[in-house]
Amino acid sequence: MHLKKYFIANWKMNGLKKDLNQVENVEKFLLKNKTLGNLKCVFCIPYTLLGFASCKLILKKVILGAQNISKKQTDIGAFTGCISPYMIKNFDGKFTIIGHSEIRSEGETDKDINLKIALAAKRGLKVILCVGDTLKDFKNKNSLKIVKKQLNLCLKNNKKYLKNILIAYEPIWSIGTGVIAQNIYLEDFLFKLKKYLKLKFKKNIPLLYGGSVSSKNIHDLKKLDLCDGFLIGGASLKSKNFIDIIKNYYN
Ligand code: PGA
């Protein structure tokens, strides 16, 4: 278990300029509640908002992040539609999500993800590496095997970047569905995953949970001792929901 707790917002394809008020509200809440010292709050917003956010927000308690990077091995160049870690850093981005199942489902491979991790880490970005099982994997009791395989492929030759990496376990069948595994299952799963990571990589890598996290189920999720934080999609779009998650976690 890490002392730091991560609350990471994944806005996906949501958010206009006006919606940055939601991030502002969260930042104001965190500035007022100084006792939440061990909390790290990251907002992974769309690329289109990063520039505006870096000018508009105080960024004392909230850290900015992106949701992906290009796999081009260069900072700048003639690559239409691509965004490099260098460009994200230019707008105060400190984190990026890599390997989200919604991007994997469009053809991103573990090999692509492996490459992107190295690119992001070399540029000093922290990587939130997403891994997860399908419902079929879960039903066939293959979840751990599948997730270990993803981790092996994504982290192969990337051991030197481990200090830049956080792992988010996101069962695909829990993302945006409101369906969440029982605590007893998650506890056992995170325990096995953590043990495996320690054995294989000799490091205590922060392990997060993602998938339908809400202000209601956080009461149960906070009992997961091995969970170092949460990757939060839908419930991160409105500051009230996000703040309620934090409040209920600490109360
Ligand atoms: P969700 O999304 O909280 O809306 O399920 C989580 C994620 O996809 O990272």
Side-chain angles (χ1 to χ4, degrees), residues 9-166:
N10 177 10
W11 270 16
K12 310 191 180 188
M13 199 174 73
N14 295 290
L16 302 175
K17 275 187 343 190
K18 66 176 173 48
D19 299 313
L20 286 180
N21 293 345
Q22 305 300 319
V23 188
E24 234 170 4
N25 293 342
V26 173
E27 178 140 63
K28 278 186 200 147
F29 166 79
L30 295 176
L31 283 166
K32 259 199 235 150
N33 290 272
K34 298 215 164 56
T35 49
L36 308 172
N38 65 354
L39 169 147
K40 277 236 180 256
C41 176
V42 184
F43 269 82
C44 296
I45 55 179
Y47 296 138
T48 47
L49 286 180
L50 273 179
F52 190 54
S54 91
C55 298
K56 183 178 160 75
L57 302 172
I58 314 170
L59 299 178
K60 275 215 170 98
K61 288 284 174 186
V62 164
I63 304 167
L64 293 180
Q67 300 168 19
N68 195 9
I69 58 160
S70 152
K71 62 177 179 185
K72 298 289 174 213
Q73 306 215 29
T74 174
D75 287 339
I76 51 167
F79 300 108
T80 305
C82 294
I83 302 285
S84 67
Y86 177 70
M87 294 160 87
I88 292 166
K89 285 206 82 175
N90 186 44
F91 278 129
D92 294 320
K94 306 262 189 289
F95 281 71
T96 186
I97 294 171
I98 294 183
H100 194 284
S101 59
E102 285 155 11
I103 300 177
R104 288 176 186 257
S105 73
E106 300 212 314
E108 186 180 59
T109 64
D110 286 309
K111 213 171 150 198
D112 296 331
I113 295 165
N114 179 291
L115 194 77
K116 288 182 179 185
I117 290 173
L119 287 171
K122 265 189 225 158
R123 266 285 168 214
L125 286 181
K126 295 255 184 211
V127 172
I128 303 143
L129 165 61
C130 296
V131 289
D133 50 328
T134 62
L135 190 57
K136 192 167 163 220
D137 300 327
F138 176 70
K139 285 189 173 155
N140 292 338
K141 301 198 182 339
N142 275 333
S143 301
L144 195 63
K145 193 173 107 195
I146 293 293
V147 169
K148 278 184 187 172
K149 187 169 169 224
Q150 290 171 351
L151 286 170
N152 282 339
L153 294 170
C154 296
L155 296 177
K156 193 174 165 202
N157 300 325
N158 277 336
K159 281 191 188 166
K160 54 183 167 299
Y161 303 124
L162 284 179
K163 65 171 185 346
N164 277 48
I165 296 173
L166 295 81

Side-chain angles (χ1 to χ4, degrees), residues 10 12 100 102 170 174-176 211-213 231-234:
N10 177 10
K12 310 191 180 188
H100 194 284
E102 285 155 11
E170 297 204 301
S174 283
I175 295 177
S212 292
V213 175
L231 184 55
I232 306 163

